Amino acid sequence: GGDPRLAARRAQEEAREAKSSTRAAKDDKYKAKEAEREEREREEKAALEAVRAEAEVKENEEFDKWKDMFTVEAEGTVEQEMAAESQGLLQEFIDYITSHKVVVLEELAAEFGLRTQDVVSRVQALESMGRITGVMDDRGKFIYISPEEMAQVAEFIKKRGRIAISDLAKKSNEFVKM
């Protein structure tokens, strides 16, 4: 035999273990259902994204069809004319500077219907691109110097070595044909 209290205690422990194991089983079942539900939600979300992406692709294709219908007629003509016109204006701008040699920037602005500040920017841009070479003075004039004239000035400085600005200015007047 055994002690009835010990048997009662053992029976309580077994009942407690049985309860906890059924609770664990219920928890496992709940976790499994929860995971299943999350997986379903993920799949639904993915399916929704796929539908959305497909709709967007169709919209873009439709847009491209319509866009092509409209741009085919206007394509090139206006843009090409504007590009040709601006290219022509740019060449006129450069020709004006090269033919006049000494250009008052305000006059150049008036000639081309631009603000003086825009003319200064354009002249500097053309210089940095290597389209024109010259000197801009502080009184608002640009003196165009051809690459040949620039080479003569450079050659003179190389021959003479160090040179005073005043001497260079006098000599430059001989090189730069006004």
Side-chain angles (χ1 to χ4, degrees):
D3 187 356
R5 276 187 284 177
L6 199 60
R9 195 178 294 141
R10 212 175 274 130
Q12 279 182 333
E13 281 179 21
E14 285 173 14
R16 211 178 288 129
E17 279 179 24
K19 247 186 189 173
S20 75
S21 71
T22 57
R23 181 175 292 132
K26 282 182 181 175
D27 284 354
D28 289 346
K29 206 173 187 182
Y30 175 76
K31 284 179 186 167
K33 278 188 175 178
E34 188 66 14
E36 205 175 279
R37 185 185 59 76
E38 285 175 6
E39 179 65 351
R40 231 187 354 262
E41 281 180 9
R42 268 197 299 275
E43 287 172 2
E44 287 173 6
K45 194 174 181 182
L48 199 63
E49 281 296 321
V51 168
R52 214 179 269 145
E54 198 175 317
E56 194 174 318
V57 167
K58 281 184 181 170
E59 272 182 28
N60 285 338
E61 287 172 356
E62 185 71 18
F63 172 75
D64 287 341
K65 267 190 239 167
W66 281 98
K67 183 183 75 174
D68 291 343
M69 287 180 192
F70 285 107
T71 55
V72 168
E73 295 142 6
E75 195 175 62
T77 55
V78 174
E79 290 168 16
Q80 286 171 346
E81 281 176 26
M82 283 176 64
E85 196 173 303
S86 69
Q87 191 58 43
L89 274 173
L90 180 66
Q91 195 53 54
E92 277 181 49
F93 193 79
I94 293 170
D95 292 344
Y96 186 91
I97 294 171
T98 55
S99 64
H100 284 73
K101 285 300 259 179
V102 178
V103 182
V104 177
L105 296 172
E106 285 178 7
E107 290 173 12
L108 185 60
E111 180 74 25
F112 286 90
L114 298 167
R115 294 188 353 243
T116 307
Q117 189 52 49
D118 293 339
V119 167
V120 170
S121 311
R122 286 191 184 181
V123 166
Q124 288 169 339
L126 288 167
E127 266 190 300
S128 68
M129 288 172 8
R131 298 285 300 267
I132 58 174
T133 49
V135 181
M136 198 176 299
D137 73 0
D138 54 354
R139 293 187 300 271
K141 286 184 187 166
F142 180 79
I143 302 165
Y144 170 74
I145 303 172
S146 73
E148 297 79 28
E149 293 165 341
M150 194 72 89
Q152 288 177 327
V153 172
E155 190 59 38
F156 175 71
I157 295 172
K158 281 181 194 166
K159 280 184 190 165
R160 290 282 301 268
R162 280 186 134 180
I163 186 169
I165 290 288
S166 57
D167 293 340
L168 180 62
K170 286 178 196 159
K171 200 66 178 161
S172 291
N173 287 336
E174 294 173 28
F175 296 133
V176 181
K177 284 107 192 130
M178 296 295 183

